[in-house]
Structures are given as structure tokens and as C-alpha cells.
Amino acid sequence: MRPLVAHIEESALAHNLAQVRRYAPRSKVIAVVKANAYGHGLLNAARGLKETDAFAVLNVSEAIALRDAGYQQPVLLLEGVFSADEMTLVDRYHLDTVVSHQAQLSWVLDSAPNIPLRVYLKLDSGMHRLGFQPREYAHALQQLTSSANVRELILMTHFANADVADGTAAAMQVVAQVMPASYARSLANSAAIVQQAHTHADWVRPGIMLYGATPVAEKSASSLGLKPVMTLQSGLIAVQQIAAGDSVGYGSLFTADKPKRVGIVACGYADGYPRHAPTGTPIAVAGHLTRTLGRVSMDMLAADITDIPQAAIGSTVELWGEQVPVDDVAQAAGTIGYELLCAVTARVPMIVTS
Ligand SMILES: *Cc1c(COP(=O)(O)O)cnc(C)c1O
């Protein structure tokens, strides 16, 4: 069998959840498990995060999968429902929903839930993506407050710039002006959890930090006390000895200036490895840190093993994980850890260790 596999370490999820609680000791935690738990497998992640106070997902189908697996915590639909008929499922599966615009507000007010709902009312605090405008917010709040369909209201916003110092100042001013202090609030994503303590409030919404990647470009995940959950591991399937002037891979993007040993790794962009990763992207072979060479192909990529004489066919390769932070690979490829984790494709087998 092809040696490529994604190892998922359940205990690292629990560790990172505990780390969230250390950063935000007075807040309850909504573990964000959207996008197949950032590529880790929804139910794999849920097991590692079972001590969370709540989960958040994007689609009703993910919420139902959590319910079917037996999870009884609140499950929040981060973008609310996408049509009025989904309100029936919100009721049947006891889901929490976001209300971010007038149509969603009407769907909640016009639904007939058997049990009144917990609703998150979303404010646009400056990101201009989702949420009521500050001038509309009080009216929406009043309508939900006076509806018999609603048993609990949590006031919510999402920051555009929590990853930069002072990046939440303007948004927090809007929050202070618009959100009455008598309601619970949910404001902070991972970046705000690790470096904007004044935003923590009642419910924090960590995503990326639970998976052990950094939410803040200038700070490594390990410096934030986070442990990688996914190790993308493969092996060498061929070894080439090339001479000075020889090239490697499509487009001959890398040409050796002296004799080199090249290891061919069973992992390519069809597995989710970024095709944009240039020569020099970090990778570990047989436990030694080295670099990729040339262009990433669909099913393979090349690594420099000139200084790793023990590397041979079958040697273990770490694409990212404990030794090669996913954030370092992302940085080399001009993206963020989030995108790489989410992009691991279905053909990569996952192995969960507890
Ligand atoms: C995805 C998401 C989060 C989690 O963000 P991270 O940066 O991964 O912590 C929090 N809140 C909302 C509304 C989201 O969509």
C-alpha cells in the first residue's frame, strides 16, 4: 500500500482544548469543527474534544452527524440556516442557530419550534461579511427578545483583524455601543483568544488552535503552547542520484549545481499538498529536516536527501506534524496552516491514535 497517511492524535486535541481554557479561564468553549474539523475528520475531532461546552459547524448535515454520534452539547450553526425549511431540523436536532440578516430573523420568528431556541444574534462590527449593521441591531434584538420561539439570546460578532495587535479596538467600540451588557456574548476566535484577552466574554469560538496550528502569523504554534494534531506522513518510493546540471520534476524547476541524492516522496497535490510549495519547503526524511526540490506533482514530490545517507526506499517522510510545523510549510507556499489542513483529500487514509 502507498505509504501516505494522516495520523490524528486525539490527545493533542484534548491538550489544545485545555490550552484554550488556560487562555480564557472564565469563558465557555464552542469548539469549531466546520470543514470536516479543519480536515481532521468531524467525528475524530469530536472525540478528542468531547470535554468542550459546545460545538460549531457550518451545515445542518454536520450537526446531525454529531447528534447521531451521541453528542449532547449545544451545536451551533455558524452561518445560521440557509432556508426556512432548515428550521425544522434545527428544532428536531436541538441545534443553536445564528441570525445574521433579516430573512434569517423572519425564519426564526415564523418557525414553530417544539422547544424554544438558543439564538446567536450576529453584529457586523466592521468585517462587512455577515451580520446586522449597528443601526439595525437593536431592532433585531428587540424582535427576538419578544418572540416566544427564543429562550436564550447570545450576542455575537466576528473580528476581521484579531491576529494583529490592537486589531479588535475599533470593533470592540462598536460592540460596546451596540450590545446591551445584560446579554451573554461570543466574540473571540483563536487569534482573539491568544492575544486579545479583553474580547473573551462568555463564549469563545476556537478553531485553528484546537488543531495545533497558529492563528497568528508571527507566533509559532508551539510558542502558544499548542500541539499539532495531524501528522501527514509518507515514505520514499524511489531514490535518484543526479549529477550537476540534472533537473528534477515537471518544468525542470530545480537544477542541481553539484551531485545530489533525491528522494521521491509519495505525496502530491492530489493529496492536498500545495502545488505552490517551492523548492526549499521544509520536509523531514528519516527524522532529518531537509527541503523539497522542484515542482510538486499530482502524486509525488522530491526531497533533498544528499545529507541523509541512511535515507532509502521505505524511509519515513513527514510532510507536516511535530517536526515540520504545518505553518512553516504554509508559509513557504504562501498560504496559512488552515488551508493546508482543510485541503487534505479523501484519498489520504486517516489513522486515529488516542
Ligand atoms: C471559523 C470560525 C471561527 C474559528 O476561527 P479560527 O480562526 O479557526 O479560530 C470562529 N467564529 C466563526 C464565526 C467562524 O466562522
Side-chain angles (χ1 to χ4, degrees):
M1 207 172 73
R2 199 165 171 249
L4 181 65
V5 51
H7 287 282
I8 306 297
E9 181 65 48
E10 243 178 67
S11 66
L13 287 157
H15 168 93
N16 295 333
L17 176 60
Q19 191 64 2
V20 170
R21 296 197 193 278
R22 261 174 238 123
Y23 279 106
R26 280 175 297 280
S27 308
K28 285 192 266 190
V29 178
I30 307 174
V32 179
V33 291
K34 63 187 175 188
N36 199 27
Y38 292 50
H40 294 67
L42 175 63
L43 296 182
N44 297 339
R47 266 195 306 280
L49 298 168
K50 59 180 183 293
E51 305 294 337
T52 189
D53 302 299
F55 289 105
V57 296
L58 200 65
N59 287 306
V60 172
S61 57
E62 300 165 292
I64 293 174
L66 287 172
R67 287 286 181 253
D68 286 348
Y71 293 95
Q72 316 225 320
Q73 287 100 324
V75 177
L76 172 64
L77 300 173
L78 275 173
E79 294 183 3
V81 297
F82 298 98
S83 58
D85 57 296
E86 284 186 337
M87 289 305 300
T88 320
L89 297 168
V90 167
D91 182 36
R92 185 180 313 154
Y93 289 94
H94 304 135
L95 309 181
D96 298 345
T97 191
V98 168
V99 166
S100 71
H101 55 68
Q102 198 59 46
Q104 281 177 334
L105 179 62
S106 307
W107 299 336
V108 166
L109 298 179
D110 299 343
S111 68
N114 291 298
I115 302 173
L117 308 167
R118 186 186 293 115
V119 171
Y120 286 68
L121 180 59
K122 188 155 186 186
L123 169 71
D124 178 2
S125 58
M127 192 174 195
H128 297 125
R129 205 175 57 173
L130 296 181
F132 285 88
Q133 293 311 301
R135 65 176 179 285
E136 308 166 332
Y137 199 73
H139 184 55
L141 178 57
Q142 181 263 316
Q143 285 175 281
L144 289 169
T145 307
S146 54
S147 169
N149 288 348
V150 179
R151 73 167 189 285
E152 187 179 342
L153 266 166
I154 296 171
L155 310 187
M156 172 187 182
T157 197
H158 191 64
F159 299 118
N161 298 300
D163 56 332
V164 296
D166 267 4
T168 57
M172 283 304 280
Q173 268 186 347
V174 182
V175 164
Q177 280 160 14
V178 173
M179 291 185 180
S182 51
Y183 291 88
R185 295 177 180 179
S186 177
L187 314 174
N189 59 0
S190 298
I193 291 166
V194 302
Q195 62 175 19
Q196 313 276 354
H198 61 297
T199 69
H200 287 171
D202 305 272
W203 291 88
V204 292
R205 304 189 306 271
I208 194 70
M209 68 185 294
L210 295 173
Y211 307 100
T214 186
V216 180
E218 311 78 60
K219 294 181 185 157
S220 70
S222 68
S223 77
L224 296 170
L226 304 172
K227 284 189 184 168
V229 175
M230 182 193 295
T231 299
L232 187 62
Q233 185 190 297
S234 191
L236 295 185
I237 56 169
V239 173
Q240 304 286 344
Q241 183 71 54
I242 65 172
D246 287 350
S247 299
V248 177
Y250 286 118
S252 303
L253 286 198
F254 172 80
T255 302
D257 58 357
K258 51 182 191 248
K260 281 205 168 295
R261 276 180 95 223
V262 177
I264 305 300
V265 180
C267 183
Y269 62 79
D271 303 300
Y273 195 90
R275 185 173 175 277
H276 292 117
T279 291
T281 300
I283 189 169
V285 179
H288 293 268
L289 208 54
T290 179
R291 57 180 192 140
T292 64
L293 297 175
R295 187 172 274 165
V296 174
S297 348
M298 182 182 282
D299 312 315
M300 286 172 266
L301 56 82
D304 187 349
I305 55 168
T306 311
D307 298 328
I308 314 173
Q310 70 275 35
I313 290 176
S315 289
T316 299
V317 176
E318 182 180 302
L319 286 312
W320 59 68
E322 193 85 49
Q323 196 175 9
V324 183
V326 68
D327 298 307
D328 293 359
V329 178
Q331 194 182 29
T335 183
I336 53 178
Y338 295 72
E339 188 181 11
L340 299 191
L341 295 172
C342 290
V344 174
T345 60
R347 82 175 190 185
V348 180
M350 277 194 196
I351 297 179
V352 183
T353 10
S354 51

